Amino acid sequence: MCRWLAYSGTPLLLETILYRPAHSLIDQSLHSRLGVETTNGDGFGIGWYAREPDLTTPAVVRDVGPAWNNRNLREIAGHVRSRLFFAHIRASTGTAVQQTNSHPFRHDRWMWMHNGAIADFHLLRRELCVAVDPSLFADIEGSTDSEVMFYLALTFGLEDDPPGAVARMAATVERVGRAHGVDAPLQMTIATTDGTDVWAFRYASAGTARSLFYSSRVDSLRALHPDMSFLRELSEETRLVVSEPLGDLPGAWHAVPEHTYGVVRADGADELFPFAPAP
Amino acid sequence: MCRWLAYSGTPLLLETILYRPAHSLIDQSLHSRLGVETTNGDGFGIGWYAREPDLTTPAVVRDVGPAWNNRNLREIAGHVRSRLFFAHIRASTGTAVQQTNSHPFRHDRWMWMHNGAIADFHLLRRELCVAVDPSLFADIEGSTDSEVMFYLALTFGLEDDPPGAVARMAATVERVGRAHGVDAPLQMTIATTDGTDVWAFRYASAGTARSLFYSSRVDSLRALHPDMSFLRELSEETRLVVSEPLGDLPGAWHAVPEHTYGVVRADGADELFPFAPAP
Amino acid sequence: MCRWLAYSGTPLLLETILYRPAHSLIDQSLHSRLGVETTNGDGFGIGWYAREPDLTTPAVVRDVGPAWNNRNLREIAGHVRSRLFFAHIRASTGTAVQQTNSHPFRHDRWMWMHNGAIADFHLLRRELCVAVDPSLFADIEGSTDSEVMFYLALTFGLEDDPPGAVARMAATVERVGRAHGVDAPLQMTIATTDGTDVWAFRYASAGTARSLFYSSRVDSLRALHPDMSFLRELSEETRLVVSEPLGDLPGAWHAVPEHTYGVVRADGADELFPFAPAP
Amino acid sequence: MCRWLAYSGTPLLLETILYRPAHSLIDQSLHSRLGVETTNGDGFGIGWYAREPDLTTPAVVRDVGPAWNNRNLREIAGHVRSRLFFAHIRASTGTAVQQTNSHPFRHDRWMWMHNGAIADFHLLRRELCVAVDPSLFADIEGSTDSEVMFYLALTFGLEDDPPGAVARMAATVERVGRAHGVDAPLQMTIATTDGTDVWAFRYASAGTARSLFYSSRVDSLRALHPDMSFLRELSEETRLVVSEPLGDLPGAWHAVPEHTYGVVRADGADELFPFAPAP
């Protein structure tokens, strides 16, 4: 189980989002409220797009060890500004704690991060790996289900049709899982981006999916909280998608419904759609 | 805040004590019940004496990162047997997470580990360091209060008179603290050993000291729990001193009273004495 | 490129072999003479069998970073005695520096380590992984060619017939390599053990294979160097197999011929045999 | 022994200087030509000033392990642009490999890095530490001579008069060294900056000081090499100071004379002056 955060909007120092909020992602690394485990100390990662238009590939900095005591993370967060960044804290369920198992994962200008699990992944791993496009297979570096899900989505056309590719990935996990006698193979909340738009998915084969929230429109937040100067610095199109709210600001957070995905466009347009696996 | 464990008795695989109990030290690294923080994920260490009589200096293996996901710790614990070992998990209160700040500390054949804090250590650090014997000063490698306490105790004769040296160390911390306007400078539970005997101290300048427990005599435990085969493998002189009990076995654990130290001899003799700082 | 060492014989502190010799493995981590690179600083590992008969599985301690400055390695080496151990220092050729890519690899009571490379492994990786027994596939944790070679050998019967299994593994690499247009797919020096016997292989598809040496019989060394007290402490059956000699003692080291494997039995018997890939 | 690099000039991606040159600092981490050791694999660090005027404190990212295989360093270097940055690769001479011993060191908006050594530092450490301003002492986090030199320079007025403060620091080391019978206590090449100007010092108590070079004026380099497009992108005021040249470009590098310091101003003005310890 993990926690993650996707930010899109006014270019901000990463620390504004990662460290400043009352229940920031760094606080969640020690004291998660909604996660299966309260501690997420098995590695972390951040990925950000630089403002320079020639740098289309995001920087991805990942490490082992907890985020809460990592000084380099704090240094970077205090000196790097970005209009679009991902952050992830990991709670391993047994796979190795190593840099290549920390999120976000990257392929060219795409990033991917995940909270959830493929049930009995050990049983399904080989067949899922074999379903990855042979030209992509050798780029898999770690041993997590999350990375294999990313490579499956790339195999199924993530770069052209993100919702379709994720639906096909989910259908593949469902199919392979059930073929191996796994009843409810998939629990997932995923964020992915090409550096312009952000897609976020919430889905579970059965039962309640992992929690997922998105932030309110900045203009409505300003109307609710006219005294919060911080909100005046944010542009209209600023949006956050998070595993759990970063604080208790009334009106700030909305649960993403189950079996749903949302997209946040660079221009601030956003929309929710139903999500279902589709072969 | 930290948690620690000192074992003396029948030579055992370290994992028997570190991993097997229901509320083992490894479990405490994620779910401490009695500590100030529930998570102790900022480094760990183990120190053990080999059985060979020519190896009088203990092996000390320390690392950064949490104990709960460290594979090397598990490997060592599953293959090394010792009659006397220390283990420690760290929760930093701000000082760097680095190997030289992880416990136990070692000097020749002595080991030292600590749970607690010198209040306002930042303010007192220089004067306490200056009080360390000049011939020992250059061996200080880290930045913790715990290591400075060790070097002060060595300065004050730890190798000849452990209770006296710790009393003088505590008195020095009290004196320097109060000279800098710190009301209650010291909170400590300390274990130290020369490879034969183990001394454990519980003390606070004011208020309740950090928790500390010792295990019951093995013969009385056997009488209480005749069905536990594990107890039949332990010799009479086996003893544990721990920050918090490793499980809920009735009759197994006794709190060390406040302002008290205890000694566990290699032959199983043990005794409690009052403790007070003494200049 | 890497360097490795396999020891079988009189139970010794690991440091006797790892640190004491003039050109020890630790020295080779900074100053390899025969390797492709002089520096082997991309991780290391040791694996040893405990003397207790109930502990048939070896302890494997691996880490990232250089061996030369690793304090935990020195601590373990100074306090652990073993009659059979492996040690390996890694020079990555691009794959991630992570614990699961450090050698030795372990499966039950078997260990495996490697110096060499599969040419164009990126191109061949998928087909080689698919050739691994499906029941073993999910245990692959890292991204090296060396680990895949181990799982192929396990697939082909390593536990029953080590030389035959390694020959089949090599033939598979040759076949898959040539099918992908790779002329000389394999360069390997491998050591493997079940905790009793040690097998070492030297082979290259073309050209000169990586260097490999074995030590002389202890009795003949004693005759050559009657003044070396160290040799008097070793039993007759003691043997080392190494990537490069640990020093310049005349008469101490013999090159393993090309296309050859050797076996060192627990009772000191040893023999060399020709080696060739065999489908 | 270490290697370092200070850059001031046209805002560049760090990788332009750290990775691209033929004999870049990263290459020097494996293959130093002029250093005492060819390998500098015991940690590294970078420190950069952001372009935003409100961020006057530099970001400092330091890690253990070699620079040559560090992926996070490459990520940051490929996505962060700076007009003034330091980079350092470390070869420990025995002190612990830990983040707080990696350079550059920081105090407010000042950075400091060093190549060289205080002879018999173990002997002099206490007296040098005691000479540090008591209000600064508690900020010392590591165990290197380099950090103590920084805190001594801060004690002696680095923020007001860098050359004077470094001269007083050097005089203190000379005095304390000779009082302890150390003949030639100091070997140093130091770079320090306040985020605007850069000062670099080359000095040894006796014998030849560690190597130090500065780059030629960009306009003269352009005249020499009219075909190098890279040079056309650099502004006139761009300057590098390095432990050893980053390549073999004729006319590009000048040795800093012995017992000399230089200053590079933000506007490109630069000058060399004689340097001598001064109490």
Side-chain angles (χ1 to χ4, degrees), chain C residues 1-6 23 25 28 32-36 40 87-89 113-116 188-191 200-202 209-215 240-246 253-256:
Chain C
M1 285 302 303
C2 312
R3 305 280 88 183
W4 58 252
L5 170 163
H23 188 50
L25 198 72
Q28 293 175 30
S32 166
R33 297 170 186 171
L34 304 181
V36 172
N40 293 276
H88 187 279
I89 53 177
M113 60 184 171
H114 174 232
N115 169 33
M188 70 177 212
T189 60
I190 284 171
F201 301 82
R202 184 177 185 215
R210 298 286 188 268
S211 62
L212 193 63
F213 296 83
Y214 63 98
S215 63
L240 278 157
V241 188
V242 298
S243 294
E244 55 184 277
L246 306 187
W253 302 100
H254 307 272
V256 174

Side-chain angles (χ1 to χ4, degrees), chain C residues 63-231:
Chain C
D63 213 336
V64 298
W68 70 74
N69 66 29
N70 194 284
R71 293 183 174 194
N72 289 339
L73 177 60
R74 186 175 273 279
E75 291 291 315
I76 294 167
H79 290 83
V80 167
R81 231 177 270 270
S82 176
R83 57 168 178 83
L84 176 45
F85 60 91
F86 278 12
H88 187 279
I89 53 177
R90 186 170 179 240
S92 167
T93 49
T95 45
V97 175
Q98 58 190 20
Q99 198 176 18
T100 57
N101 283 352
S102 291
H103 308 218
F105 302 99
R106 178 181 59 198
H107 182 80
D108 291 342
R109 63 201 172 96
W110 286 78
M111 292 202 292
W112 175 277
M113 60 184 171
H114 174 232
N115 169 33
I118 295 179
D120 289 311
F121 178 59
H122 198 262
L123 210 62
L124 316 184
R125 186 180 174 202
R126 183 177 181 276
E127 193 162 339
L128 293 174
C129 282
V130 168
V132 169
D133 187 302
S135 73
L136 292 169
F137 178 90
D139 293 337
I140 299 177
E141 290 200 296
S143 54
T144 60
D145 50 2
S146 309
E147 190 187 22
V148 174
M149 291 163 73
F150 181 32
Y151 278 89
L152 285 171
L154 286 164
T155 298
F156 296 134
L158 182 70
E159 291 156 297
D160 296 318
D161 170 18
V166 173
R168 287 184 282 278
M169 177 276 286
T172 302
V173 175
E174 297 275 8
R175 178 180 54 76
V176 170
R178 293 185 207 282
H180 285 79
V182 180
D183 272 349
L186 190 55
Q187 252 289 4
M188 70 177 212
T189 60
I190 284 171
T192 190
T193 181
D194 60 356
T196 303
D197 301 328
V198 175
W199 292 263
F201 301 82
R202 184 177 185 215
Y203 174 75
S205 303
T208 308
R210 298 286 188 268
S211 62
L212 193 63
F213 296 83
Y214 63 98
S215 63
S216 300
R217 292 179 57 89
V218 170
D219 50 4
S220 62
L221 274 175
R222 277 193 207 121
L224 274 169
H225 305 281
D227 50 326
M228 294 196 66
S229 61
F230 170 70
L231 293 170

Side-chain angles (χ1 to χ4, degrees), chain B residues 98 100 122 125 139-140, chain D residues 98 100 122 125 130 139-140:
Chain B
Q98 58 191 21
T100 57
H122 198 262
R125 187 180 175 204
D139 292 337
I140 299 177
Chain D
Q98 57 190 20
T100 57
H122 198 263
R125 187 180 174 203
V130 168
D139 293 336
I140 299 177

Side-chain angles (χ1 to χ4, degrees), chain B:
Chain B
M1 283 300 303
C2 312
R3 304 280 89 181
W4 58 251
L5 170 164
Y7 175 89
S8 173
T10 306
L12 286 180
L13 279 180
L14 307 189
E15 70 174 13
T16 314
I17 300 298
L18 293 184
Y19 288 87
R20 296 266 170 86
H23 188 51
S24 71
L25 197 72
I26 302 304
D27 183 60
Q28 293 174 29
S29 69
L30 270 172
H31 306 293
S32 166
R33 296 169 185 171
L34 304 181
V36 173
E37 279 280 0
T38 55
T39 307
N40 294 277
D42 299 325
F44 67 87
I46 51 171
W48 74 88
Y49 294 88
R51 284 168 294 171
E52 292 88 343
D54 56 318
L55 291 173
T56 55
T57 301
V60 174
V61 169
R62 304 184 289 177
D63 213 336
V64 298
W68 69 74
N69 66 29
N70 194 284
R71 294 183 172 193
N72 288 338
L73 178 60
R74 187 175 272 279
E75 291 290 315
I76 294 168
H79 290 83
V80 166
R81 229 177 270 272
S82 176
R83 57 169 178 82
L84 175 45
F85 61 90
F86 279 12
H88 187 277
I89 53 177
R90 185 168 178 239
S92 167
T93 50
T95 45
V97 176
Q98 58 191 21
Q99 197 176 18
T100 57
N101 283 352
S102 290
H103 309 216
F105 302 98
R106 177 181 60 197
H107 181 80
D108 291 341
R109 63 203 173 95
W110 285 78
M111 291 202 293
W112 176 277
M113 61 185 171
H114 174 233
N115 169 32
I118 295 179
D120 290 313
F121 178 59
H122 198 262
L123 212 60
L124 316 184
R125 187 180 175 204
R126 182 177 183 276
E127 192 162 340
L128 293 174
C129 282
V130 168
V132 169
D133 186 302
S135 73
L136 293 169
F137 178 90
D139 292 337
I140 299 177
E141 290 200 297
S143 54
T144 60
D145 50 2
S146 308
E147 190 188 22
V148 173
M149 290 162 74
F150 181 31
Y151 277 90
L152 285 171
L154 286 165
T155 298
F156 296 135
L158 182 69
E159 290 156 297
D160 296 318
D161 170 18
V166 174
R168 287 185 283 277
M169 176 275 288
T172 302
V173 174
E174 297 277 8
R175 177 179 56 76
V176 171
R178 293 186 207 281
H180 285 79
V182 180
D183 270 349
L186 191 54
Q187 252 289 6
M188 71 178 211
T189 60
I190 285 170
T192 190
T193 181
D194 60 355
T196 303
D197 301 328
V198 175
W199 292 262
F201 301 82
R202 183 177 186 214
Y203 174 75
S205 303
T208 308
R210 300 284 189 268
S211 62
L212 193 63
F213 297 84
Y214 63 99
S215 63
S216 299
R217 290 179 57 90
V218 170
D219 50 4
S220 63
L221 274 175
R222 278 194 206 121
L224 275 170
H225 305 282
D227 50 327
M228 296 197 63
S229 61
F230 169 71
L231 293 170
R232 283 196 294 274
E233 295 165 27
L234 295 180
S235 57
E236 303 294 317
E237 71 272 17
T238 297
R239 279 297 167 92
L240 277 159
V241 188
V242 299
S243 294
E244 55 184 277
L246 307 186
D248 301 321
L249 192 67
W253 301 101
H254 307 273
V256 173
E258 305 250 352
H259 295 204
T260 298
Y261 78 91
V263 57
V264 179
R265 305 287 176 191
D267 64 3
D270 50 30
E271 213 170 345
L272 292 174
F273 303 91
F275 176 81

Side-chain angles (χ1 to χ4, degrees), chain D residues 133-186:
Chain D
D133 186 302
S135 73
L136 292 170
F137 178 90
D139 293 336
I140 299 177
E141 290 200 297
S143 54
T144 60
D145 50 3
S146 309
E147 190 187 21
V148 173
M149 289 162 74
F150 181 32
Y151 278 89
L152 284 172
L154 286 164
T155 298
F156 296 135
L158 181 70
E159 290 156 296
D160 296 318
D161 170 18
V166 174
R168 287 184 282 278
M169 177 276 286
T172 302
V173 174
E174 297 276 9
R175 177 179 55 76
V176 171
R178 293 186 206 282
H180 285 78
V182 180
D183 271 349
L186 190 55

